[in-house]
Amino acid sequence: MNVRIGTDRLDAEVLTDGGCIASIRAGGRELLLRTPWAGLDDGPPMAGSVAEWHRRYRGGWHLLLPRPLGPAVVGGIAQPFHGEAAWRRWRLEQTSTTACRAQVLLRTVPLAVDRTVEIIVDEVRVTTTVQNMGPTEVRLGWAEHPSFDAAIFDGGHVELDGAKVAIVPLGAGAFQDRPVETGHALVHGFDGLSVGLCWDAAVLGRAYVWQERRATPDFPWYAAADALAVEPASQPHDHPEDDLGTLTLAPGAARTVAITLTIHNGLTA
């Protein structure tokens, strides 16, 4: 069962499918990308995990783990596009009107994932713990994939470590992979609206900025997706295909990362 949490000012919906945060609404306005085919899972699957991911992609905010990049075979185990965690059905528990817990046990690697999503005033706080349940060290990659409705920020920019990344105009697309030191990003739009992201850059030391502003006329977007994603990640986007990632967990060890999305102006007044 999917879970909706929040207040009359800010609310979110979390899905069992992929543990995805499918919606964050501030003042009744949706902040996250929602594709026209969101939730349309009928029909035959497409060959390969890249095509199938995009066939089913609804937008929202996914956790990409244990390999957040392209599909690969690592240690004889096939890893799907964007990582197993985003493909699995999670167990959800609503712990209060403003918080929920999501859990999943991966099978391609022996990792247990425990994730909480909380609404605190004008913030969405996501705290994730990953624990190695196996008898040997596990390597992994980690990325958070919040995709925003780019139209809300049209004409604005993304600020990362004081540097500005322009939001491209409608009809264009762009991708950047940048190292980060502070773990702070601000997405500035019109009318004074800004949305902040804050995370632990010691673990997630990169930020991917993906923009698809109705730029692709054919599959998978058909000029229908207007997306802006700021994605904290643990490794460069060109990380070798024969490795999961740059992080390691010893047997029984766990690592926790918190990421906070803050509405600074505009939508919750």
Side-chain angles (χ1 to χ4, degrees), residues 24-69:
I24 297 175
R25 297 186 306 178
R29 184 172 187 177
E30 181 60 58
L31 297 182
L32 298 183
L33 170 69
R34 182 175 175 86
T35 63
W37 47 89
L40 300 180
D41 295 333
D42 59 324
M46 290 186 170
S49 65
V50 175
E52 179 63 6
W53 169 271
H54 288 99
R55 181 185 79 87
R56 302 192 310 177
Y57 181 59
R58 66 176 64 240
W61 179 345
H62 289 86
L63 170 67
L64 310 185
L65 190 93
R67 179 176 163 79
L69 308 171

Side-chain angles (χ1 to χ4, degrees), residues 101-116:
R101 184 181 186 186
Q103 296 174 292
V104 70
L105 179 65
L106 303 186
R107 294 292 291 123
T108 61
V109 287
L111 297 179
V113 186
D114 194 334
R115 191 165 167 92
T116 61

Side-chain angles (χ1 to χ4, degrees), residues 2 14-21 53 56 58 61-64 83-92 102-104 115:
N2 302 331
V14 183
L15 308 184
T16 59
D17 185 9
C20 175
I21 304 173
W53 169 271
R56 302 192 310 177
R58 66 176 64 240
W61 179 345
H62 289 86
L63 170 67
L64 310 185
E84 180 192 356
W87 292 78
R88 294 288 304 281
R89 293 188 67 81
W90 292 54
R91 183 170 69 255
L92 299 185
Q103 296 174 292
V104 70
R115 191 165 167 92

Side-chain angles (χ1 to χ4, degrees), residues 83-208:
E84 180 192 356
W87 292 78
R88 294 288 304 281
R89 293 188 67 81
W90 292 54
R91 183 170 69 255
L92 299 185
E93 175 190 2
Q94 184 160 359
T95 54
S96 73
T97 58
T98 57
C100 77
R101 184 181 186 186
Q103 296 174 292
V104 70
L105 179 65
L106 303 186
R107 294 292 291 123
T108 61
V109 287
L111 297 179
V113 186
D114 194 334
R115 191 165 167 92
T116 61
V117 181
E118 303 172 89
I119 305 293
I120 304 172
V121 191
D122 291 344
E123 295 183 348
V124 180
R125 187 174 300 169
V126 181
T127 305
T128 305
T129 298
V130 179
Q131 184 174 11
N132 180 3
M133 308 302 290
T136 60
E137 181 181 84
V138 172
R139 291 180 64 85
L140 67 144
W142 186 329
E144 300 282 348
H145 194 307
S147 296
F148 298 103
D149 178 0
I152 297 175
F153 305 99
D154 192 38
H157 65 272
V158 179
E159 186 175 342
L160 282 167
D161 285 347
K164 292 182 179 180
V165 178
I167 296 175
V168 299
L170 199 65
F175 181 84
Q176 291 191 30
D177 171 10
R178 304 172 67 96
V180 293
E181 296 181 359
T182 64
H184 292 279
L186 277 172
V187 187
H188 297 277
F190 56 82
D191 294 335
L193 169 66
S194 63
V195 172
L197 289 171
C198 180
W199 69 92
D200 185 356
V203 180
L204 306 180
R206 314 287 301 190
Y208 311 150

